[in-house]
Amino acid sequence: MATRKVRYKKLNIKTPLPVLREDQIDPSEYESLTNDGQIATGVEQAEENEYHLQAVLRGAGVAADKEIPVPPPQESVLTYEELYSRPFEETHTYIRFSQTVEECIGCMYDMTEDDEVFLKSYNQKRPPASQLPDDDFEKIMEVFEDTAYIRAPFASVDQTVVPYDEMLHGLHDLDRAKIMPHAKDIYEYWKARRQAVSNKPLHPTLKFEMHQESDEMDPYVCFRRREVRQTRKTRARDVQSADKLKRLRKELEEGRQLVMAALHRENLKADMLKIDRAIFEQRAQLKAQKIRLGIKTDDDDLINAKPQKRKAPEVPAIQRPPPPSQLRAPVRPDGRSNETDLAQLTERHLEKETELRIEIEKKVRNHNDWNRNHVDLTRGPLSPVSGPRSDLSFRPATTQYLMTPPASVSSASLEEPTPMELDNTPNPGPVFKFRGVAQDAESMANPPGYRRRVGRLNRLWIDRRGLASPPRDVDGSSSDRWKYDQSSDDEEDTPVYEVDPFDTRALKFRASVPLPIWMSRPVRPIVGIPPPFPPNHPQQPHLHPQHQQMQRGRDRARGPSPGSNRTFVL
Amino acid sequence: MSPSAEATVGSDGPRQKGKATPDSLKVGCIAQVVKDGQPRRAEILSIKETKSGRQFYCNFDNFNKRLDEWVPVARIDFDQDVEWPNPEKDKQKDAKAKKTAVVPKKAPSKKAQKKVAKRDRELSVASDGQTPHPWTEFTESQRNKGDDADDKVNASLEIGGGTPDMGPDEMELDEDETPAGAAKKEREERAPSFSRVEEIEKLRTSGSMTQNPAEISRIRNISKVEFGRYVLFPWYFSPYPECFNQEDTIYIDEFCLSYFGDLKSFARHRQKCTLQHPPGNEIYRDEAVSFFEIDGRRQRTWCRNLCLISKMFLDHKTLYYDVDPFLFYVMTKRDQFGNHLIGYFSKEKESTDGYNVACILTLPQYQRQGYGRLLIQFSYELSKIEGKLGSPEKPLSDLGLLSYRQYWSENIVDLLLTNSERDERVTIEYIATQLSMTTQDVEHTLQALRMQVYHKGEHKIVVPEKLIKQREKSKTKQKRLIDPDRIQWKPPVFTASNRTWGW
């Protein structure tokens, strides 16, 4: 091969290659790219040169008769059908299975030949009824082994033998009546067997990790646990994780600061409340003092002086975007609440109103300018709508006149205005307020008014105000009429009729009366209707006979009074 | 050109040579031993006394370890010189084995880590020495029961003179992590230094194969396995319970894969065990075989048992770490008794190296029947569904390499011929994506089959005539194939917590 030294181009895996058969190309014109030595076989180098492998490789593809010799397997002499007696039924669908080996076996203790010998001799000594079957023997042994493993996992090292008493707990789950008579004997046997194998589990077990040092090269130690993967330590990774830790620490610190600040704020708030309270109490004292000393001032003392409005210098602070990681309203450094900076609603309204007013005035001016050379013969800015509206569903709620006041108004002087008169009034005034009653001097002071409104279900309401009610005649018969309208059960509670005490009739009457009882002895502070009858009139309606008697009784008790007049003065 | 020309045993430097007797022959010696009727250099790895006399556990030069065997004195040629283990070396070994303070003095330049590794290796060797279990040969059935005590004594005696053949020059090579046994200078020169610590770290995060010879226990511990209808003779060490070394035969339930040293226990177990197929979901079924998918995390016991079995037949498989990060795809054959295990491959749930197979094994009783090819095909069918290019984890075993080479070449030739019929050009990448193979594997296969040529300034692919003939021949044969339409499988998705390496 050294005869032709051709430098080959490196073959790219994406280069399209023509595929030829051997007869399509002259063998003398090409050579194989590589010789065997350079081909990576993937076999461990120490074994690459093994005799049999090389023998086969050299004849690659030529002869299949060369084989690597291996120890040949043999047919077993054991009766397969005896050992594997369970028939298998093929499923129609693919098998899906997740039980573990342990779940498929059941009792994990398998009797050995030694056990068999022991059990045979053990059972020989017993009547057939109380013999221990193989299955139960295995169950007991399993309990012993399991309990020993749980209670003394390092039994083979520290030689702990789990006592029989501790085994009992595990035996409870078994069929006790059958098993308990044997348990103690089997325990002794189990113990002896464990001692014989230096207290290791009776079943041969794999060697797992016990002690790192000695395990490391022990070929029998297998299936070690993998420690959690450690990431490879590189400088970049170190820096990365350091950065992460730093950031974490910073964030935690910020969180802590936040909590501290919140605590501080709340403490300040509490202090403020306390101080406010103290101030209020001081003020209350001041007030009390003032009252005591008779100093008269207005109540401003009790109200906090309005804080001086400052032009807020921290407006830009509010507009500044909040820190990205914080979801928290910015706290003002001066501790003042934000409200002081906020515009009051009333102020806003005021502002708006003035604006509006100015606007209207401007409009009016403009309108006047516009109308300067225009003569308005209609006098009003708008001409009234004449004729029925084309809209039939129009509700004539805006009619300019009202229905006549109810006819029940008894006043003779009432003068009904006619619709025409209303229309003709030079200034109709407010739509819902007009005068429609007599214009005498009295009523002028408090002129009556009407108001029309539409209520539910399109009911039309006329509200009235200032109409003089018809005078009531207050003669006895009519006043008596109300007496029985009272629903009160209180018989004593006589009705009280309010009457003008300066009524001439009453004055005249009172003058004719000697001195009325209520003047010398004000039983009723509220002046009722003075009794229109003489005091001694037997038919006095307001005094019950009982009452009169009582008064007389009193008189008698005092004995004969010097003057009859005085009898009325009690 | 004979591959055996290059000695792999005891090539670590000049050795003392001389005549030996059966009594003076010790562990570490290299002698001429008859293998298959021919004398062959062999290293003595262990010595034991049996009723029929002393036996020597021999590793034959340039033969795979699966051919190691116990040989009687009669097969050793004492007329020829024996190469003795290096004496200085032995002294140091002695010192180290006793863990005296000599170690740092002897190797002062070594880093602590290396020291640990060295010492560990010693421990490994020692432990090997203590467990030289009779692997009674399958051909000659010279069983020796009851000699175990003797063996042990003998072995522990041997530890002193124990681990052989580490030349003084090796000690200067700080990075050398060679096994105490068959260290080879030439190998070391080629092999990148790969410390044990690095190896363990790599295994922790991915993979199931070890490239560190120190990981491999050199002496078979189980001699005979009853498995279903077959008796298997293990090829390599497997970390079954140590007490099984005493047993002539161990019994493995072919469904739940539980292991027993005692026939009575096994029989009792068989009465209780209800499992009749691998404990997972069936994802493929045709007339001949089924595939089951099993999660190592969910079926820990079963998967551990499976690994223990496969370790008996895979030299470079490691059981150092647990089975959690692997999925197991198990091929079975159905009959009226259940689904019988034929073979399996394991696959990392998430492979950082893009492997689609971690370990792959056809059980010996089913080898050379085309099942390995089915397993390989199935692994690539899964990769196709995943839309990934896959490759088996390295190192491959000799048998693994042959199986893969065959699968690759057949498929590539097939693809190329269909393309050549249509007169289309192909790229390496096209072949790779069509077959879900990595481009490296495609290139290696093309080169191994001498198909990639350089002609008139252009790269070309030439399909050799013999391969075309072979293809036509194999077409006439009824071949087992996987029917991709019958696969009922979606790539499993694992959450981060499922993928963590810890428990």
Side-chain angles (χ1 to χ4, degrees):
Chain A
M1 290 200 182
T3 52
R4 282 179 63 163
K5 268 280 180 233
V6 185
R7 179 178 283 262
Y8 306 124
K9 275 184 280 182
K10 195 169 182 326
L11 175 58
N12 190 293
I13 56 160
K14 295 188 179 179
T15 314
L17 306 167
V19 181
L20 304 168
R21 290 178 181 235
E22 234 172 338
D23 47 16
Q24 293 172 289
I25 191 165
D26 183 357
S28 63
E29 283 183 350
Y30 72 91
E31 63 189 60
S32 301
L33 201 59
T34 41
N35 56 37
D36 295 309
Q38 286 166 283
I39 304 163
T41 56
V43 173
E44 216 249 311
Q45 280 166 329
E47 292 161 11
E48 225 168 22
N49 289 320
E50 278 174 359
Y51 174 81
H52 297 103
L53 175 64
Q54 283 303 321
V56 177
L57 285 181
R58 266 181 296 127
V62 190
D65 55 339
K66 290 223 170 180
E67 279 177 347
I68 292 177
V70 298
Q74 291 174 352
E75 292 274 333
S76 174
V77 291
L78 300 171
T79 322
Y80 183 86
E81 287 73 17
E82 257 173 41
L83 288 165
Y84 298 88
S85 53
R86 218 174 290 271
F88 175 70
E89 275 179 44
E90 201 173 315
T91 56
H92 292 289
T93 53
Y94 286 11
I95 292 166
R96 299 189 70 79
F97 194 82
S98 62
Q99 272 176 281
T100 61
V101 171
E102 289 80 0
E103 286 164 338
C104 294
I105 293 175
C107 181
M108 291 304 287
Y109 187 85
D110 299 306
M111 232 169 125
T112 63
E113 278 155 20
D114 294 346
D115 292 338
E116 197 181 18
V117 172
F118 162 79
L119 195 62
K120 229 174 223 166
S121 67
Y122 177 80
N123 280 336
Q124 264 172 6
K125 288 180 261 169
R126 286 159 200 281
S130 65
Q131 282 184 0
L132 184 63
D134 292 358
D135 290 335
D136 289 337
F137 172 79
E138 283 184 351
K139 278 181 197 162
I140 296 171
M141 291 294 271
E142 188 192 20
V143 168
F144 291 161
E145 285 286 291
D146 286 352
T147 315
Y149 178 73
I150 294 162
R151 295 293 165 93
F154 301 107
S156 60
V157 178
D158 58 15
Q159 298 301 320
T160 317
V161 177
V162 178
Y164 179 65
D165 295 342
E166 286 190 41
M167 298 291 189
L168 285 173
H169 183 73
L171 292 169
H172 284 328
D173 299 334
L174 304 176
D175 186 354
R176 297 196 66 191
K178 264 167 72 187
I179 278 171
M180 289 320 279
H182 306 285
K184 184 69 182 164
D185 293 330
I186 303 299
Y187 174 77
E188 293 305 328
Y189 171 73
W190 172 82
K191 204 166 134 187
R193 270 206 67 192
R194 287 281 287 214
Q195 300 294 339
V197 292
S198 63
N199 214 0
K200 281 181 187 140
L202 294 180
H203 256 296
T205 47
L206 297 177
K207 224 172 167 181
F208 295 113
E209 300 162 273
M210 294 293 270
H211 188 262
Q212 180 135 36
E213 290 277 305
S214 56
D215 284 352
E216 189 55 24
M217 276 309 290
D218 187 344
Y220 286 96
V221 176
C222 51
F223 303 124
R224 292 169 176 84
R225 290 188 299 145
R226 288 172 166 82
E227 316 87 80
V228 175
R229 188 204 288 269
Q230 287 167 333
T231 43
R232 178 160 290 174
K233 253 190 138 173
T234 61
R235 187 176 289 261
R237 213 176 269 285
D238 279 353
V239 171
Q240 229 176 36
S241 42
D243 279 351
K244 263 186 203 158
L245 282 175
K246 268 188 212 158
R247 203 161 59 231
L248 183 68
R249 159 135 200 133
K250 197 172 139 259
E251 275 164 14
L252 284 173
E253 183 58 35
E254 279 170 358
R256 199 181 77 93
Q257 294 288 354
L258 218 67
V259 172
M260 297 296 281
L263 174 72
H264 186 61
R265 182 193 65 207
E266 296 305 316
N267 280 336
L268 284 178
K269 270 188 187 169
D271 287 350
M272 198 179 77
L273 282 174
K274 264 183 223 153
I275 290 164
D276 278 355
R277 190 187 162 83
I279 289 171
F280 177 79
E281 276 163 3
Q282 292 284 325
R283 287 223 174 90
Q285 273 179 27
L286 180 70
K287 182 86 181 164
Q289 292 284 348
K290 273 184 178 172
I291 289 166
R292 197 163 56 82
L293 298 172
I295 301 165
K296 201 178 173 192
T297 49
D298 48 7
D299 285 346
D300 282 352
D301 301 332
L302 282 178
I303 304 157
N304 273 335
K306 252 196 185 166
Q308 287 291 319
K309 252 193 191 171
R310 273 200 298 159
K311 268 282 170 260
E314 49 283 328
V315 168
I318 295 166
Q319 281 164 349
R320 186 185 61 201
S325 62
Q326 289 182 0
L327 271 176
R328 189 156 162 257
V331 176
R332 300 278 294 270
D334 61 352
R336 279 195 307 135
S337 65
N338 288 327
E339 279 87 312
T340 49
D341 284 340
L342 294 177
Q344 296 286 327
L345 185 65
T346 49
E347 287 170 30
R348 284 276 163 168
H349 279 308
L350 209 72
E351 238 172 73
K352 249 188 194 161
E353 214 170 312
T354 43
E355 245 173 60
L356 243 132
R357 206 180 296 278
I358 289 163
E359 182 82 5
I360 290 165
E361 277 167 16
K362 204 174 141 199
K363 282 229 169 101
V364 167
R365 253 202 317 279
N366 282 348
H367 190 79
N368 287 346
D369 286 350
W370 184 57
N371 283 335
R372 185 156 294 160
N373 297 318
H374 180 77
V375 182
D376 186 9
L377 295 175
T378 57
R379 292 196 60 194
L382 296 168
S383 48
V385 182
S386 56
R389 290 286 180 94
S390 56
D391 189 357
L392 288 176
S393 64
F394 177 70
R395 184 159 46 82
T398 51
T399 324
Q400 289 296 308
Y401 60 90
L402 290 169
M403 294 198 315
T404 52
S408 57
V409 176
S410 55
S411 170
S413 65
L414 199 74
E415 188 187 12
E416 281 183 35
T418 63
M420 287 317 289
E421 275 170 353
L422 279 169
D423 276 353
N424 286 341
T425 45
N427 188 3
V431 175
F432 299 128
K433 205 173 172 186
F434 59 94
R435 294 181 189 97
V437 287
Q439 311 260 314
D440 55 333
E442 230 180 75
S443 57
M444 281 299 276
N446 193 14
Y450 288 92
R451 186 176 60 172
R452 187 189 66 167
R453 60 188 166 87
V454 178
R456 277 174 298 181
L457 301 171
N458 275 342
R459 276 180 298 186
L460 189 71
W461 294 87
I462 304 296
D463 296 341
R464 62 183 186 186
R465 193 171 67 183
L467 271 186
S469 310
R472 282 205 186 111
D473 58 352
V474 281
D475 58 353
S477 59
S478 68
S479 69
D480 234 0
R481 204 177 68 205
W482 305 108
K483 184 180 169 183
Y484 305 104
D485 277 351
Q486 293 284 341
S487 60
S488 171
D489 304 327
D490 193 0
E491 290 288 304
E492 299 283 345
D493 198 12
T494 53
V496 173
Y497 301 108
E498 260 184 300
V499 154
D500 188 3
F502 303 106
D503 191 1
T504 36
R505 272 165 72 194
L507 279 172
K508 222 187 273 172
F509 174 72
R510 275 207 302 278
S512 68
V513 180
L515 192 63
I517 298 160
W518 52 269
M519 285 193 73
S520 55
R521 183 173 161 260
V523 177
R524 299 164 199 279
I526 295 163
V527 179
I529 289 176
F533 45 79
N536 285 330
H537 197 280
Q539 289 174 343
Q540 192 188 50
H542 291 284
L543 281 179
H544 292 277
Q546 201 186 353
H547 187 81
Q548 281 180 334
Q549 267 195 335
M550 202 178 76
Q551 279 185 344
R552 281 184 198 133
R554 254 188 228 131
D555 292 345
R556 274 197 300 270
R558 287 185 178 216
S561 53
S564 63
N565 264 356
R566 285 190 60 193
T567 54
F568 288 98
V569 183
L570 271 170
Chain B
M1 243 347 254
S2 162
S4 55
E6 222 173 53
T8 57
V9 168
S11 60
D12 57 326
R15 280 168 167 246
Q16 223 179 3
K17 290 190 179 184
K19 293 275 186 290
T21 63
D23 290 325
S24 67
L25 201 63
K26 56 184 181 178
V27 169
C29 289
I30 294 165
Q32 292 291 324
V33 180
V34 175
K35 174 80 177 170
D36 302 332
Q38 287 183 333
R40 206 166 181 89
R41 287 178 82 234
E43 185 192 348
I44 311 297
L45 295 179
S46 183
I47 302 170
K48 67 175 181 183
E49 299 293 337
T50 70
K51 283 173 192 161
S52 56
R54 190 171 279 197
Q55 292 209 349
F56 302 88
Y57 191 87
C58 293
N59 171 235
F60 297 96
D61 190 12
N62 268 325
F63 274 19
N64 189 276
K65 279 209 286 293
R66 70 173 76 86
L67 299 178
D68 291 359
E69 59 182 325
W70 290 99
V71 297
V73 177
R75 279 172 61 186
I76 301 171
D77 184 356
F78 287 102
D79 295 337
Q80 298 223 20
D81 277 352
V82 163
E83 296 171 45
W84 297 97
N86 229 304
E88 310 104 275
K89 191 68 204 170
D90 294 342
K91 239 186 259 165
Q92 191 173 5
K93 288 287 165 194
D94 266 17
K96 278 174 150 192
K98 286 172 200 156
K99 293 187 187 178
T100 58
V102 195
V103 182
K105 215 169 81 191
K106 287 256 173 178
S109 66
K110 281 188 179 167
K111 290 174 207 146
Q113 180 199 334
K114 305 271 158 131
K115 263 184 265 167
V116 169
K118 281 269 182 208
R119 210 194 59 224
D120 284 346
R121 197 179 57 237
E122 296 308 314
L123 290 173
S124 156
V125 168
S127 114
D128 277 358
Q130 276 159 1
T131 57
H133 240 280
W135 177 59
T136 13
E137 231 191 294
F138 48 92
T139 44
E140 331 153 34
S141 53
Q142 295 173 322
R143 308 251 166 274
N144 28 52
K145 257 177 138 182
D147 289 349
D148 301 316
D150 274 354
D151 290 346
K152 235 172 202 167
V153 172
N154 204 339
S156 49
L157 280 175
E158 292 303 334
I159 295 172
T163 34
D165 81 54
M166 268 222 181
D169 51 338
E170 266 182 69
M171 298 316 290
E172 270 117 56
L173 292 170
D174 269 0
E175 74 278 4
D176 116 72
E177 291 298 337
T178 45
K184 284 169 292 174
K185 241 198 299 182
E186 150 251 341
R187 191 202 309 165
E188 274 142 35
E189 278 154 16
R190 280 193 294 155
S193 71
F194 197 56
S195 85
R196 179 172 166 77
V197 176
E198 284 168 335
E199 166 99 51
I200 298 295
E201 174 56 26
K202 187 170 175 291
L203 289 171
R204 188 173 66 74
T205 53
S206 69
S208 58
M209 293 299 209
T210 178
Q211 275 149 320
N212 195 332
E215 258 289 286
I216 300 160
S217 292
R218 307 191 66 223
I219 297 169
R220 215 179 276 123
N221 58 332
I222 308 287
S223 45
K224 188 178 163 194
V225 178
E226 283 279 354
F227 185 81
R229 290 181 187 276
Y230 299 90
V231 177
L232 307 180
F233 298 97
W235 302 353
Y236 308 107
F237 172 87
S238 182
Y240 278 105
E242 256 177 297
C243 58
F244 280 10
N245 297 345
Q246 328 284 336
E247 305 293 343
D248 226 7
T249 307
I250 68 163
Y251 304 87
I252 295 178
D253 183 317
E254 72 160 336
F255 295 124
C256 76
L257 312 182
S258 301
Y259 38 86
F260 302 87
D262 180 287
L263 181 58
K264 175 70 187 173
S265 295
F266 176 55
R268 285 290 303 168
H269 163 82
R270 276 307 311 154
Q271 285 178 28
K272 291 179 279 185
C273 184
T274 58
L275 203 63
Q276 287 172 304
H277 53 77
N281 293 340
E282 198 177 4
I283 57 171
Y284 177 84
R285 186 191 289 184
D286 63 22
E287 292 72 31
V289 299
S290 287
F291 271 90
F292 288 80
E293 181 184 57
I294 292 139
D295 184 343
R297 194 184 178 87
R298 295 205 51 176
Q299 297 286 353
R300 194 169 280 144
T301 308
W302 197 87
C303 292
R304 281 174 172 175
N305 291 349
L306 180 64
C307 284
L308 286 166
I309 292 171
S310 70
K311 180 67 194 79
M312 293 192 289
F313 305 102
L314 296 173
D315 198 8
H316 285 273
K317 180 176 177 56
T318 178
L319 304 185
Y320 191 90
Y321 282 120
D322 211 345
V323 292
D324 294 45
F326 295 95
L327 287 167
F328 295 81
Y329 294 93
V330 181
M331 186 165 71
T332 62
K333 201 177 81 174
R334 287 180 310 277
D335 67 9
Q336 71 268 32
F337 297 105
N339 281 263
H340 306 276
L341 178 67
I342 296 172
Y344 84 103
F345 65 88
S346 59
K347 180 174 179 173
E348 285 174 83
K349 290 171 182 173
E350 202 181 62
S351 172
T352 46
D353 302 308
Y355 294 138
N356 64 353
V357 162
C359 294
I360 183 163
L361 172 75
T362 309
L363 288 175
Q365 67 270 35
Y366 294 106
Q367 284 173 0
R368 292 172 195 179
Q369 296 169 37
Y371 287 117
R373 210 180 170 288
L374 280 187
L375 283 170
I376 295 172
Q377 194 198 341
F378 196 80
S379 74
Y380 279 108
E381 295 296 345
L382 294 189
S383 288
K384 274 180 201 166
I385 295 172
E386 286 177 304
K388 287 178 183 168
L389 307 183
S391 183
E393 185 180 334
K394 315 296 179 304
L396 292 171
S397 69
D398 46 0
L399 293 170
L401 173 67
L402 295 184
S403 300
Y404 266 100
R405 276 260 174 100
Q406 199 196 355
Y407 173 84
W408 289 336
S409 63
E410 279 178 12
N411 280 278
I412 289 174
V413 167
D414 225 36
L415 187 76
L416 289 177
L417 288 181
T418 33
N419 268 287
S420 116
E421 277 157 24
R422 282 181 278 157
D423 222 17
E424 282 171 8
R425 290 182 167 223
V426 294
T427 64
I428 302 276
E429 198 181 39
Y430 171 79
I431 300 171
T433 47
Q434 286 296 301
L435 301 175
S436 273
M437 287 169 63
T438 59
T439 53
Q440 294 97 309
D441 286 344
V442 173
E443 278 188 280
H444 291 156
T445 311
L446 288 176
Q447 287 169 10
L449 297 172
R450 299 171 182 279
M451 291 166 75
Q452 197 180 322
V453 302
Y454 198 71
H455 180 246
K456 292 179 178 166
E458 199 186 12
H459 286 281
K460 283 175 185 169
I461 293 173
V462 173
V463 186
E465 213 49 52
K466 61 180 182 186
L467 286 178
I468 298 169
K469 278 194 192 126
Q470 213 174 53
R471 179 170 172 256
E472 273 152 17
K473 210 172 93 187
S474 69
K475 260 186 181 170
T476 56
K477 268 196 272 177
Q478 198 64 28
K479 261 203 166 167
R480 297 182 206 275
L481 281 175
I482 295 289
D483 176 4
D485 295 337
R486 298 195 191 208
I487 300 175
Q488 292 184 7
W489 184 76
K490 264 189 230 159
V493 180
F494 297 96
T495 61
S497 61
N498 278 339
R499 271 186 279 104
T500 50
W501 304 109
W503 278 358

